[in-house]
Amino acid sequence: MATINFGGVEEQVVTREEFPLDKAREVLANEVIAVIGYGVQGPGQSLNMRDNGFNVIVGQRKGKTYDKAVADGWVPGETLFEIEEALEKGTIICFLLSDAAQIELWPTVKAALKPGKSLYFSHGFGVTYKEKTGIIPPADVDVFLVAPKGSGTSLRRLFVEGKGLNSSFAVYQDASGNARTKAIAMGIGVGSGYLFETDFYKEVTSDLTGERGTLMGAIQGIFAAQYEVLRANGHSPSEAFNETVEELTQSLMPLVAENGMDWMYANCSTTAQRGALDWWKPFHDATKPVFEKLYNSVKSQEQAEISITRNSQPDYREKLEVELAELRDSEMWQAGKAVRSLRPERS
């Protein structure tokens, strides 16, 4: 492992230089990697591992998602199976269904976890909240996770571009004495940029906080607030959206991703620089109590309870569509749809 200084704190990480793809293939040479679920993370991880030369099969119920797997090149009866058959064939079971679906399918998965098999997650939810989910792995299997820091779509897109998403990894149970090495090999196999070690509890608490915070919840709230203020003061939808979302996502954030926010502050106009320096601390002070409230809600397991309860309701899909429609049909995101259609594309 490499020791890297992260802002004055030294951490050990695994890079592709210390653990190359050939080594990962060697570690997993005798494994059949069964990806259960072809929804959010399943396609990206399975396709990346397949393209990296691993023995991968997919387990998925027949329907639209099954058809998508076929379209992606998975062959029924050879590399694509019903879930029960894939569970039987697999030696590393990648349990990549949604948290609610994992709870429902767990009895079936547990029955297939024979001694010596491995159970792989990309989220610590099911095991961390085992009292609520009932997901308690048998003692004679390895249990570990690799959690790419991004969507399955981004994981696949960056892989195709020759890049990679960073991922965390963790071992919950080491029955074989080799679980950590297998976890790292899987992390390299799915196309991680670098890997940093955590545990299941820290993965799920940071992940739930991030999703509800700056990654999705907070940023949508900030977008909406600024857009509404601009519109209330006479700015057009096009102007409000460009100044709120489009400039950030298309111009500034790619530069921040490449160079950091400190570079962005040092390389903008003096007017923008002065305003950003004056206003970031008031925004910090205004939002930090909300983030503390959020983290405490995650830590107390309130967010897990909400997720399990709501996502398990029989009318969840109908209620979800109403909530999604509120975003989709809002003036801001309808304006965004129009703005995106006007982006110049190179031929």
Side-chain angles (χ1 to χ4, degrees):
M1 296 183 75
T3 301
I4 306 295
N5 187 309
F6 289 89
V9 178
E10 290 191 343
E11 295 183 38
Q12 289 191 321
V13 301
V14 180
T15 69
R16 298 177 186 181
E17 285 71 34
E18 290 104 42
F19 206 107
L21 183 57
D22 284 345
K23 183 176 180 180
R25 291 194 191 108
E26 181 182 340
V27 169
L28 302 177
N30 297 319
E31 304 286 355
V32 177
I33 301 167
V35 174
I36 307 302
Y38 206 74
V40 178
Q41 281 289 335
Q45 293 198 31
S46 60
L47 291 169
N48 289 1
M49 286 190 289
R50 184 183 71 183
D51 290 354
N52 270 334
F54 296 90
N55 185 10
V56 186
I57 62 174
V58 171
Q60 176 62 47
R61 303 283 187 220
K62 289 185 177 178
K64 289 183 179 180
T65 306
Y66 184 96
D67 294 340
K68 180 182 185 302
V70 172
D72 285 344
W74 300 100
V75 180
E78 295 182 16
T79 56
L80 177 62
F81 303 93
E82 287 285 344
I83 287 174
E84 289 79 4
E85 189 171 358
L87 287 169
E88 182 66 28
K89 291 178 178 293
T91 59
I92 297 179
I93 307 301
C94 299
F95 204 13
L96 299 184
L97 295 170
S98 69
D99 295 324
Q102 283 187 10
I103 296 170
E104 183 179 351
L105 191 65
W106 174 243
T108 301
V109 173
K110 185 177 180 180
L113 289 174
K114 307 304 181 187
K117 288 196 176 190
S118 299
L119 180 60
Y120 167 102
F121 293 91
S122 281
H123 190 27
F125 191 99
V127 168
T128 299
Y129 303 125
K130 57 184 179 292
E131 293 85 1
K132 300 179 185 296
T133 66
I135 297 177
I136 303 173
D140 49 11
V141 301
D142 289 341
V143 183
F144 49 84
L145 68 75
V146 173
K149 299 299 111 180
S151 70
T153 300
S154 297
L155 182 71
R156 180 60 178 170
R157 185 175 296 164
L158 288 170
F159 177 87
V160 171
E161 294 173 359
K163 303 174 184 178
L165 281 177
N166 302 326
S167 301
S168 62
F169 76 97
V171 174
Y172 180 79
Q173 191 167 277
D174 187 6
S176 69
N178 198 38
R180 190 171 183 276
T181 302
K182 284 192 281 188
I184 294 171
M186 289 288 292
I188 297 298
V190 301
S192 301
Y194 78 85
L195 293 154
F196 61 95
E197 194 162 10
T198 186
D199 58 44
F200 273 58
Y201 172 79
K202 288 179 180 176
E203 190 283 327
V204 73
T205 50
S206 62
D207 188 72
L208 293 182
T209 301
E211 290 168 347
R212 287 149 179 77
T214 59
L215 301 180
M216 294 180 71
I219 199 166
Q220 164 61 19
I222 291 171
F223 282 163
Q226 178 170 303
Y227 182 89
E228 289 165 7
V229 168
L230 290 172
R231 290 288 288 124
N233 284 277
H235 298 272
S236 70
S238 176
E239 184 170 53
F241 188 85
N242 273 282
E243 294 295 347
T244 300
V245 180
E246 190 75 353
E247 185 175 352
L248 176 69
T249 58
Q250 297 301 297
S251 175
L252 302 186
M253 275 304 162
L255 292 173
V256 172
E258 290 176 13
N259 305 296
M261 187 63 81
D262 54 327
W263 182 93
M264 190 74 253
Y265 272 47
N267 289 274
C268 60
S269 72
T270 55
T271 302
Q273 182 184 65
R274 184 70 267 147
L277 288 168
D278 287 347
W279 277 94
W280 80 262
K281 290 181 181 178
F283 277 108
H284 167 274
D285 294 346
T287 59
K288 189 174 179 181
V290 182
F291 283 103
E292 289 173 335
K293 180 180 179 181
L294 166 60
Y295 190 83
N296 287 333
S297 181
V298 172
K299 191 175 179 180
S300 70
Q301 302 190 17
E302 178 185 23
Q303 291 301 305
E305 183 64 37
I306 290 171
S307 180
I308 292 169
T309 301
R310 292 188 182 175
N311 294 354
S312 300
Q313 291 175 353
D315 59 349
Y316 169 69
R317 288 291 175 187
E318 290 79 4
K319 291 179 177 177
L320 174 64
E321 179 52 35
V322 172
E323 293 179 287
L324 294 177
E326 180 184 357
L327 285 176
R328 183 175 60 247
D329 298 337
S330 68
E331 183 190 272
M332 181 174 72
W333 289 113
Q334 286 298 305
K337 184 178 181 180
V339 169
R340 290 192 297 277
S341 73
L342 296 171
R343 290 176 186 164
E345 299 292 343
R346 292 180 181 175
S347 57

